[in-house]
Amino acid sequence: MTSTSSVAAVARIAYLSSDVLVDSRPPLPTTSSFADTFRTLSHERAGSKATYSLPFGADVGSTLVQHSSVGLLSYTATSHPQLLHRLVLPLSELASTPLVLHVAVNDDLSDALVLRSTVPFCLYSRTAQQAHDNALLASRLARVEGKPVLHIFAEVEEELDEVKEEEVQSFLFAQQHSVVNGHVLPPADYAPALYRSYFDVAASTSSLVHHSVQALSQQGPTDPHTVVFSLGRAQFDFEEDGVNFVDVSLLHPLPAGRVTDLIPSSTVRVLIIEQVARWSTKWTPLYLDIVGAIQQSKRDEYPAVYSVVLENSGPVHHSDFLKLLENASGTSPSTRLHIGAAPSLSAVSETVAPHIPKHESSYLKILHQVFGERLEISNSPELVPSHGQLATTPEFALGRIRGQLESRAELVGAVQELLRDLGVTPHLHALLSKWLLVKDDPTKSRQSGEDILKALQSDEAPSTAAERVLALREYFPALSRWIVGSDAWSYDLGASGLHHAIASRLNVNILVLDATPYSSRNTADPQRRKQDVGLYAMNHGDVYVASVAVYSSYSQVLHAVMEADKFEGPSVVLAYLPYKSEDSPALEVLKETKLAVDAGYWPLYRWDPSKEVQGKEPFSLDSDSVKNDLQQFLDRQNHLSQLVRSKPELATELVSSLGENVKEARRKRAQQSYQELLTAIDAPPLLILYGSDGGKAEKVARRLANRSKMRGISTTVATMDSISLEDLAKEEYVAFITSVAGQGEFPQNARTLAKALHSAAGRSEKPLVNLKFTVFAMGDSHYWPRPEDAHYYNKAGKDLDSRLALLGGERVADLGLADDQDADGPETGYKLWEPLLWKLLGVDAVEIKEAEPEPITNEHIKVASQYLRGTIAEGLEDKSTGALAPSDTQLTKFHGIYQQDDRDIRDERQVQGVEPAYSFMIRVRMPGGVCSPEQWLMMDQIADEHGNGTFKITTRQTFQFHGVIKRHLKKAIQDINRSLLDTLAACGDVNRNVITTSIPTLSKLHQQTYEFAKGVSEHLIPRTTAYHEIWLDKKLVAGDAIKDVEPLYGEFYLPRKFKVAVAVPPNNDVDIFANDVGFIAIVDKNGDLAGFNVTAGGGMGVTHGNKKTYPRLGDVLGFCTVEQGPNIAEKIMLVQRDNGNRQEMGLDVFKAEVEKLLGYRLQPARPFVFDRNIDDYGWIKGDNGKHHFSSFIENGRVQDEPDRDFKTALREIAKIHKGAFRLTANQHLIITDVASEDVPQIAKLLATYKLDDVSQSGLRLSSSACVSFPTCGT
Ligand SMILES: Cc1cc2nc3c(=O)[nH]c(=O)nc-3n(C[C@H](O)[C@H](O)[C@H](O)COP(=O)(O)O)c2cc1C
């Protein structure tokens, strides 16, 4: 054993273990005590280590970053506030670097502890032996984890054992063992991964140094009444009855469980002694961690926890300790106690409840600590005596700063001028040039300025030329200029001068302190509205903005003030410090801060526009709880989770979804319309405004606009809500067309204007005296059939007509009325109304020779689409909008994709002038509804990664995803294809997913009908290669040379969707007669499939408002064999395709048409019986001996809900299940083909997640919901 200083011991280990060493020298005249050891060691060895000795004030961060990829990097320094605070920012860049920061401390730990939360590991060594051991531990930990480790140690000189040099290397690179010398790793649920890693390395260190190396070491009884945690030099060389002393050697990560294990239930009092007299906030670091750990623990009685500050590093005598115990008994736990020789134990602090003497002090202390003499508070209260009250206002401060910056610019000019003076000595010349280079460097500019002054004072320049520079000498150092104010400024940004400061573009930093407690946020000054200064400043663009709370994250405050200082331009730091009165106890401030930050009332964030220039994400969200909430939200909204992973895209996505391009497009369109309006001077221009929910009124409006244009009238068509009442008052001729939606209500896109008209009428105003109007009202006289509801008929149009007149408008043509019930539908009324309009505009005599452009129908779109291609591929590339072109949205249906938008925020987004929030629904094609567990897992993942985190089982036995944004569409389809499923023809005017009875008991028959269903589906699938080309990137061979053909569908595809089902009696769960084609399985004597009775019907399709369509149930046509089935389905489809008006055919004619195409007659139908149509829930055993469980999935929605984590449950089942999943046509799920030995395992999972609960009412068990509900919007 030799007596060595801890610094030398640490320096030796650092030297031996690292690849590069960086040492910071203390301020002159002191020299680095680490460097002595480095020098000696390198002299003793051939080939010295790469060692960098940095002067005080050098940029340590960039040197470390520069060497971040060298292997192990060690940094050594003696604690100094200006040195360590400057490391906060670079440490975030070094998060994945094997780096050890050895910091020697000779009195107070406060400065070193500031770095504690910026690194994953923080160790403390009280003795020289600990310093040696922890230096080894830290080096290995940093290498193993590839992360920074902070090692703070006391500067002491003591006896210690050092490891041999040759052992160091082998220790650093030794294999990791989970059990070393009897140390067994703590269980994973007890300790986080980082702690386990620490534990492992500590155990290896113990066996190397042959004594215990522990995070916390305790001495004392097992049932103490008092537990004392000690961080710092305090040494307790005495015993005290009932008191347990715990020496803290690991500060981070310290698992709560590890702490509370040391506080047995006998404990009534916990003292936390820390050597942090200079700590700038009330609550000290270890105290917060331990209080947090105790709060998390579950116990009947919680001990009182006291924070004690160790004032100096001298010995703690027994008598001091007894006095401390006595004082602790007499005060409330929120009082900070003191121990140590000075300032004397009588300083066992104030007996009154503590308060923050000056609420600003904690932030101001930080500013002082970080910037030291560079700090300039431009509106400091100290200026009041000389400048009056005005001195505290931002305008005053801004004026001062402006003046100072101008003077500094003047100094730069003076220095440059002096440089040109020939009388200047070469030495001064060099100094002046150097200052110009370093003038913006916080530390070098001051030193360099002082050197110039010295030279000037020793006459190294002609006195006249030097005079100007001397006069401006105070501007040599680059200062950090701050304006400090309160949230009172946020009530009136303009009057408070804050606006001017933000808009000034000067390099000024503004600290705004907000003291409103979270719990009184709603009562604070209810008459006045506070403005969000942060948002306001961010809107200015080139302003740094941060929102911080010192009692929530100290290091984030440091980050923010340093970034603010660095930022070239205005910076605003909003600082939270909630207190009700000057006397508010600090505990309350802490509590209020936590509430506000966790609730998101005071989010912690930083917005640094300079990062954007470097291509980095300018916004960082720092509040953990909000971040977690956001993460959870994004996980739920899974399409966005992808965006979170790639942050830069998140920003652009959000910005572009704000629809800048949409706004631009609208602006252009408006300009164009205006130009057109100006050119059409002959006839009065006509504005057509419509209100339409379902599109009928819109179609009428657009056709009217076409016809009007053909008559030479300058015509504009728009929704009613696109115009304000003020703008309407400026129009001359307006034709309104509106339908009714709901009980007499206006359609969605007409409600705002309707409301404005209503309110104006209520105020008896007459704003529309220049307006000439006519209204065409569209409705359905039988929509609300009860006689007492008759007044709803065309109510919206009628109300509009009377209200416009009331507001002073001139009705130039009578109200037109359209009734869906009329012989020709709305056309009947329209034909009477339109001529009135032409007459009024004086164009009734105009003869139209050209054919009127036909409105574009789906058929046109299909034909022009080049076999369902359209411009989908181009639309997917267009990042300016979240939507596809309207015609493409008709085509994507054939690819299994529907475009939708969030209706709930439609109005809000319209007001904001941005496009609707578009997303897509994707439906899978999965004939017979059977999938493997692997496919299930893939679906689960697709919902998470691309959709809204849930998915649905549809009545057509397939999966449906919602909320997929455009950017994810292709990836989602590709993932579905990777699972050997596809989405082709899952929607659209083609044959849809073929469904079949799920019959789990009769596996053989199910297999046969399932194969048949698959065969029919494949037979009727569209042949276009567009799907593969667009979604799977399979390019067209030789460009357009190979043309698609659709032998079944042709270019027009079908007039409407087509549905096929296969039922196995006696269960009609597929609702066979609601399909266009049905196959009813007929079995032979052996129970094998003999063939099918074929049914044909109308698929229940009906067009709303079109009296000529009605739901048509299926009829049995006859019997066919299994082989004949697919061809029969095809022929029925062709007859329907070519005879859209099938109801006029009659069954016999229809059958004859089908048989004509088949070339043979169907056999007579065979007997069958259906006796049920719902699923049989619970377990059953099939004829192959396998077990099947039918579970009730309400409305087919696979999602996790409180207490019903069905999505998780099914994922867990899919992970172990060896059989299959069958989706039922009632939107439920059967877990099939479970071997007897696997039943208990599956049953256990079902029970754990309550999926085995089928005790609902019969009505509920047989309920089902529209699969789109509540998301349908198209
Ligand atoms: C949900 C709903 C509610 C309706 N309520 C009424 C009503 O109260 N009075 C009426 O005359 N017509 C009512 N109708 C009929 C529509 O106004 C009529 O079909 C109209 O032609 C639809 O036009 P649109 O597609 O432009 O919205 C209603 C239609 C729907 C879908």
Side-chain angles (χ1 to χ4, degrees):
M1 238 187 218
T2 50
S3 176
T4 315
S5 80
S6 54
V7 174
V10 169
R12 176 172 172 267
I13 300 295
Y15 186 90
L16 296 177
S17 59
S18 37
D19 299 293
V20 172
L21 283 157
V22 178
D23 178 45
S24 265
R25 300 204 292 267
L28 289 167
T30 329
T31 55
S32 162
S33 35
F34 293 92
D36 294 342
T37 310
F38 295 155
R39 217 170 296 121
T40 321
L41 288 169
S42 73
H43 279 310
E44 287 168 6
R45 280 159 191 75
S48 59
K49 279 262 157 80
T51 311
Y52 297 86
S53 170
L54 306 180
F56 186 76
D59 188 352
V60 179
S62 30
T63 311
L64 293 178
V65 171
Q66 226 171 27
H67 296 95
S68 56
S69 52
V70 291
L72 183 68
L73 177 62
S74 287
Y75 171 70
T76 49
T78 301
S79 171
H80 189 287
Q82 281 181 28
L83 201 61
L84 299 183
H85 288 183
R86 291 186 67 188
L87 280 177
V88 171
L89 283 186
L91 272 177
S92 56
E93 270 185 71
L94 293 160
S96 311
T97 304
L99 160 71
V100 184
L101 304 141
H102 296 284
V103 179
V105 179
N106 55 32
D107 56 353
D108 198 277
L109 296 175
S110 305
D111 299 318
L113 287 178
V114 160
L115 296 182
R116 169 187 79 112
S117 44
T118 57
V119 287
F121 297 99
C122 175
L123 313 174
Y124 173 72
S125 308
R126 181 169 58 80
T127 66
Q129 185 67 57
Q130 276 180 339
H132 166 268
D133 300 348
N134 272 339
L136 274 167
L137 192 163
S139 304
R140 175 158 173 158
L141 193 55
R143 270 201 197 273
V144 171
E145 283 293 309
K147 292 191 165 76
V149 179
L150 172 63
H151 174 214
I152 305 169
F153 65 97
E155 268 192 65
V156 284
E157 174 119 13
E158 285 164 353
E159 297 211 319
L160 79 155
D161 277 329
E162 294 184 274
V163 289
K164 294 199 196 84
E165 182 176 338
E166 58 274 19
E167 286 177 332
V168 174
Q169 284 294 315
S170 53
F171 166 71
L172 290 175
F173 294 101
Q175 278 287 315
Q176 190 95 345
H177 298 295
S178 53
V179 178
V180 184
N181 263 6
H183 289 73
V184 181
L185 276 178
D189 54 350
Y190 172 86
L194 287 180
Y195 179 73
R196 288 165 64 80
S197 181
Y198 164 85
F199 187 90
D200 195 357
V201 177
S204 325
T205 315
S206 283
S207 54
L208 175 71
V209 297
H210 305 300
H211 48 253
S212 165
V213 175
Q214 287 189 39
L216 303 169
S217 47
Q218 64 161 334
Q219 62 184 62
T222 47
D223 54 347
H225 54 71
T226 302
V227 177
V228 179
F229 286 87
S230 162
L231 172 66
R233 282 292 292 144
Q235 209 174 332
F236 303 93
D237 295 333
F238 45 83
E239 282 180 15
E240 178 62 36
D241 266 358
V243 180
N244 217 332
F245 294 98
V246 181
D247 213 2
V248 176
S249 170
L250 175 72
L251 272 148
H252 207 252
L254 195 53
R258 181 79 185 91
V259 172
T260 48
D261 279 355
L262 299 175
I263 309 174
S265 53
S266 58
T267 315
V268 292
R269 180 169 50 189
V270 175
L271 299 178
I272 295 143
I273 304 184
E274 292 167 85
Q275 192 176 355
V276 288
R278 288 212 303 270
W279 192 254
S280 53
T281 57
K282 163 81 184 166
W283 302 111
T284 50
L286 184 63
Y287 175 83
L288 280 180
D289 286 349
I290 293 184
V291 167
I294 294 174
Q295 273 177 352
Q296 277 177 36
S297 67
K298 291 206 169 57
R299 44 177 78 214
D300 298 334
E301 294 270 340
Y302 286 88
V305 188
Y306 294 83
S307 169
V308 185
V309 169
L310 177 70
E311 292 288 354
N312 69 5
S313 44
V316 174
H317 301 295
H318 195 184
S319 57
D320 298 343
F321 184 71
L322 291 179
K323 194 110 188 240
L324 174 71
L325 285 186
E326 195 184 311
N327 282 308
S329 325
T331 52
S332 105
S334 60
T335 305
R336 181 186 282 187
L337 304 171
H338 298 259
I339 191 169
S344 102
L345 280 178
S346 62
V348 171
S349 158
E350 324 85 83
T351 42
V352 289
H355 73 281
I356 301 171
K358 205 166 173 1
H359 56 273
E360 296 168 15
S361 65
S362 39
Y363 285 105
L364 295 184
K365 260 191 203 165
I366 292 176
L367 291 183
H368 279 290
Q369 261 176 11
V370 173
F371 303 116
E373 49 187 355
R374 287 182 54 222
L375 178 67
E376 156 93 15
I377 296 187
S378 302
N379 60 341
S380 162
E382 287 165 18
L383 299 167
V384 173
S386 50
H387 295 81
Q389 283 304 328
L390 190 71
T392 56
T393 64
E395 292 102 317
F396 171 86
L398 194 63
R400 248 170 83 85
I401 290 174
R402 198 184 290 277
Q404 287 168 350
L405 292 177
E406 277 166 12
S407 301
R408 197 154 197 262
E410 211 179 305
L411 174 65
V412 173
V415 168
Q416 282 165 341
E417 200 174 306
L418 195 54
L419 272 173
R420 287 192 289 271
D421 195 312
L422 296 175
V424 168
T425 65
H427 173 242
L428 178 60
H429 198 277
L431 290 177
L432 292 169
S433 319
K434 184 176 168 203
W435 182 80
L436 281 180
L437 282 177
V438 301
K439 68 179 184 347
D440 294 323
D441 185 289
T443 33
K444 291 184 190 152
S445 57
R446 178 180 294 273
Q447 184 56 48
S448 170
E450 280 166 15
D451 293 345
I452 293 174
L453 284 182
K454 258 187 241 151
L456 286 176
Q457 278 151 1
S458 40
D459 290 337
E460 290 191 32
S463 58
T464 41
E467 247 167 44
R468 232 177 106 214
V469 173
L470 280 170
L472 295 164
R473 62 206 289 174
E474 64 177 294
Y475 301 106
F476 272 125
L479 297 185
S480 185
R481 296 168 210 282
W482 288 81
I483 304 177
V484 182
S486 77
D487 60 323
W489 289 353
S490 354
Y491 286 105
D492 189 341
L493 295 174
S496 68
L498 209 53
H499 158 79
H500 304 290
I502 289 170
S504 69
R505 307 215 166 254
L506 293 177
N507 194 358
V508 46
N509 306 297
I510 307 161
L511 180 73
V512 182
L513 295 162
D514 193 318
T516 318
Y518 177 69
S519 50
S520 37
R521 66 197 182 285
N522 295 331
T523 49
D525 211 350
Q527 304 305 318
R528 301 166 66 202
R529 221 166 65 86
K530 224 189 249 192
Q531 298 179 18
D532 189 332
V533 183
L535 206 57
Y536 177 78
M538 279 194 262
N539 271 328
H540 264 266
D542 223 13
V543 177
Y544 175 90
V545 186
S547 168
V548 302
V550 67
Y551 278 93
S552 181
S553 171
Y554 190 85
S555 63
Q556 194 242 358
V557 182
L558 290 177
H559 255 105
V561 296
M562 286 188 235
E563 283 178 349
D565 172 55
K566 255 179 133 179
F567 184 75
E568 281 290 326
S571 305
V572 179
V573 177
L574 304 161
Y576 195 48
L577 198 87
Y579 68 99
K580 289 193 175 112
S581 74
E582 278 261 298
D583 296 332
S584 295
L587 193 60
E588 194 178 304
V589 179
L590 183 71
K591 210 170 79 191
E592 290 284 346
T593 305
K594 187 166 168 32
L595 276 175
V597 173
D598 287 356
Y601 167 75
W602 191 270
L604 305 185
Y605 63 83
R606 286 168 293 132
W607 165 261
D608 187 350
S610 68
K611 288 199 176 149
E612 219 169 8
V613 183
Q614 304 159 21
K616 295 185 191 160
E617 170 60 40
F619 186 78
S620 34
L621 183 63
D622 299 321
S623 345
D624 282 340
S625 66
V626 179
K627 230 196 254 177
N628 289 342
D629 283 355
L630 182 68
Q631 188 61 48
Q632 272 178 15
F633 167 75
L634 292 175
D635 283 348
R636 255 182 282 126
Q637 302 288 313
N638 243 308
H639 56 281
L640 287 179
S641 70
Q642 203 65 16
L643 309 182
V644 174
R645 268 181 239 149
S646 44
K647 271 202 185 132
E649 284 159 72
L650 174 67
T652 43
E653 186 80 18
L654 290 181
V655 171
S656 70
S657 75
L658 281 181
E660 281 308 322
N661 298 338
V662 179
K663 274 191 206 160
E664 178 59 13
R666 285 191 184 159
R667 199 184 56 74
K668 278 198 187 133
R669 217 181 303 148
Q671 216 166 19
Q672 194 184 340
S673 318
Y674 181 65
Q675 291 301 337
E676 281 169 10
L677 209 69
L678 286 184
T679 47
I681 35 173
D682 292 349
L686 173 67
L687 174 62
I688 301 169
L689 293 175
Y690 65 86
S692 171
D693 258 0
K696 272 202 256 167
E698 178 179 356
K699 223 181 223 173
V700 172
R702 294 201 181 282
R703 200 180 55 178
L704 176 69
N706 273 342
R707 291 163 68 83
S708 167
K709 281 179 195 159
M710 287 167 75
R711 284 167 171 78
I713 298 169
S714 162
T715 313
T716 315
V717 59
T719 63
M720 279 174 63
D721 277 356
S722 64
I723 194 166
S724 65
L725 179 55
E726 294 73 49
D727 288 341
L728 181 63
K730 294 178 202 146
E731 294 293 336
E732 197 181 351
Y733 284 92
V734 181
F736 291 87
I737 299 175
T738 182
S739 62
V740 195
Q743 296 187 319
E745 283 172 36
F746 278 89
Q748 283 289 348
N749 53 11
R751 286 192 187 169
T752 310
L753 183 69
K755 246 185 250 166
L757 294 172
H758 181 70
S759 320
R763 295 190 297 268
S764 310
E765 291 169 2
K766 298 250 179 256
L768 303 180
V769 284
N770 293 325
L771 179 75
K772 298 182 175 59
F773 74 89
T774 176
V775 177
F776 183 61
M778 293 175 63
D780 182 343
S781 55
H782 276 52
Y783 200 87
W784 305 102
R786 297 187 315 169
E788 60 268 40
D789 289 335
H791 63 287
Y792 291 137
Y793 168 58
N794 267 335
K795 184 166 182 322
K798 288 177 189 165
D799 286 352
L800 179 65
D801 184 69
S802 60
R803 222 157 267 158
L804 290 168
L806 213 62
L807 294 171
E810 183 189 344
R811 184 185 296 110
V812 286
D814 280 346
L815 172 70
L817 290 177
D819 187 352
D820 286 351
Q821 300 296 327
D822 282 342
D824 245 354
E827 271 306 292
T828 314
Y830 184 78
K831 280 185 194 138
L832 299 174
W833 175 74
E834 196 201 70
L836 303 179
L837 194 64
W838 303 147
K839 193 159 189 190
L840 160 76
L841 294 168
V843 289
D844 49 334
V846 175
E847 204 182 322
I848 307 295
K849 296 197 187 74
E850 305 157 48
E852 192 179 314
E854 249 182 279
I856 294 176
T857 63
N858 268 357
E859 269 50 47
H860 293 104
I861 295 172
K862 286 185 237 172
V863 171
S865 74
Q866 253 213 325
Y867 292 99
L868 309 180
R869 280 179 183 78
T871 54
I872 300 173
E874 291 80 0
L876 290 173
E877 293 296 312
D878 180 0
K879 297 204 168 55
S880 66
T881 164
L884 290 172
S887 56
D888 288 338
T889 60
Q890 297 303 324
L891 301 174
T892 54
K893 292 180 184 174
F894 292 79
H895 302 233
I897 298 161
Y898 264 88
Q899 180 174 301
Q900 304 182 319
D901 75 270
D902 189 338
R903 298 172 159 219
D904 292 344
I905 52 170
R906 251 184 217 168
D907 290 354
E908 193 183 318
R909 291 184 65 100
Q910 193 183 13
V911 170
Q912 290 168 355
V914 298
E915 68 176 24
Y918 291 111
S919 68
F920 295 82
M921 180 278 273
I922 303 178
R923 198 178 285 158
V924 178
R925 183 178 71 99
M926 198 167 74
V930 179
C931 76
S932 66
E934 292 74 34
Q935 286 172 325
W936 182 280
L937 287 173
M938 196 71 185
M939 297 301 124
D940 183 277
Q941 193 182 334
I942 290 168
D944 284 349
E945 282 183 5
H946 305 298
N948 62 5
T950 71
F951 55 107
K952 284 189 170 183
I953 298 173
T954 77
T955 48
R956 292 211 72 76
Q957 286 180 319
T958 188
F959 297 112
Q960 191 161 302
F961 302 101
H962 289 266
V964 182
I965 58 167
K966 192 169 88 176
R967 209 159 60 73
H968 278 243
L969 210 47
K970 197 160 167 173
K971 189 79 188 39
I973 302 276
Q974 288 179 345
D975 284 352
I976 291 170
N977 274 267
R978 206 165 299 128
S979 71
L980 303 182
L981 295 171
D982 62 51
T983 65
L984 179 56
C987 330
D989 299 336
V990 276
N991 176 48
R992 304 288 188 87
N993 202 43
V994 179
I995 60 175
T996 179
T997 300
S998 310
I999 45 164
T1001 42
L1002 304 164
S1003 300
K1004 188 171 66 176
L1005 196 51
H1006 182 271
Q1007 196 56 36
Q1008 290 167 335
T1009 51
Y1010 168 60
E1011 293 299 341
F1012 176 78
K1014 268 208 306 195
V1016 174
S1017 178
E1018 289 304 326
H1019 186 75
L1020 300 182
I1021 198 94
R1023 303 285 173 227
T1024 171
T1025 54
Y1027 183 84
H1028 298 81
E1029 189 186 309
I1030 296 171
W1031 305 106
L1032 308 180
D1033 290 330
K1034 303 214 167 117
K1035 289 272 163 281
L1036 258 185
V1037 186
D1040 276 352
I1042 294 182
K1043 285 264 185 235
D1044 278 314
V1045 255
E1046 286 286 11
L1048 293 185
Y1049 294 105
E1051 283 184 313
F1052 285 97
Y1053 291 82
L1054 300 182
R1056 53 183 305 282
K1057 62 190 168 190
F1058 191 76
K1059 294 177 176 180
V1060 181
V1062 184
V1064 183
N1067 198 340
N1068 185 19
D1069 55 349
V1070 293
D1071 209 358
I1072 197 93
F1073 300 110
N1075 285 270
D1076 294 86
V1077 177
F1079 290 99
I1080 300 169
I1082 305 293
V1083 290
D1084 60 20
K1085 289 191 287 296
N1086 307 323
D1088 281 327
L1089 185 62
F1092 298 96
N1093 278 352
V1094 185
T1095 71
M1100 305 295 277
V1102 52
T1103 305
H1104 180 80
N1106 183 349
K1107 296 275 154 218
K1108 293 176 185 165
T1109 67
Y1110 63 96
R1112 169 70 160 86
L1113 279 179
D1115 282 307
V1116 178
L1117 298 185
F1119 176 84
C1120 73
T1121 65
V1122 177
E1123 295 70 35
Q1124 290 171 336
N1127 194 32
I1128 291 176
E1130 173 195 318
K1131 298 300 183 267
I1132 293 178
M1133 189 176 88
L1134 296 184
V1135 175
Q1136 283 207 7
R1137 181 193 72 184
D1138 300 337
N1139 303 276
N1141 51 350
R1142 61 197 182 277
Q1143 87 284 9
E1144 285 162 13
M1145 265 177 126
L1147 186 62
D1148 293 343
V1149 182
F1150 184 84
K1151 187 176 168 196
E1153 283 290 322
V1154 173
E1155 288 176 339
K1156 198 161 99 193
L1157 291 179
L1158 283 172
Y1160 59 84
R1161 302 197 63 166
L1162 292 169
Q1163 299 174 42
R1166 302 198 182 168
F1168 65 93
V1169 178
F1170 283 133
D1171 63 7
R1172 74 190 109 122
N1173 61 5
I1174 65 164
D1175 299 331
D1176 295 323
Y1177 302 103
W1179 283 104
I1180 37 169
K1181 194 169 175 188
D1183 61 359
N1184 58 357
K1186 293 279 175 76
H1187 302 262
H1188 316 282
F1189 183 84
S1190 299
S1191 55
F1192 173 72
I1193 309 285
E1194 193 155 34
N1195 301 333
R1197 195 148 191 176
V1198 182
Q1199 64 179 351
D1200 283 339
E1201 286 176 296
D1203 213 27
R1204 282 157 33 126
D1205 290 335
F1206 289 175
K1207 181 160 172 275
T1208 307
L1210 293 166
R1211 182 170 56 240
E1212 292 306 313
I1213 290 172
K1215 282 183 195 164
I1216 57 160
H1217 182 37
K1218 301 183 194 100
F1221 287 96
R1222 285 184 207 168
L1223 317 191
T1224 78
N1226 289 315
Q1227 298 176 303
H1228 301 298
L1229 178 69
I1230 313 178
I1231 299 156
T1232 68
D1233 304 295
V1234 184
S1236 299
E1237 63 271 23
D1238 296 332
V1239 169
Q1241 209 184 358
I1242 301 276
K1244 190 166 165 225
L1245 280 173
L1246 290 169
T1248 308
Y1249 291 99
K1250 303 194 182 111
L1251 247 184
D1252 58 354
D1253 180 12
V1254 287
S1255 60
Q1256 284 88 348
S1257 69
L1259 187 63
R1260 191 149 172 211
L1261 287 175
S1262 44
S1263 67
S1264 69
C1266 161
V1267 71
S1268 296
F1269 187 77
T1271 51
C1272 57
T1274 49

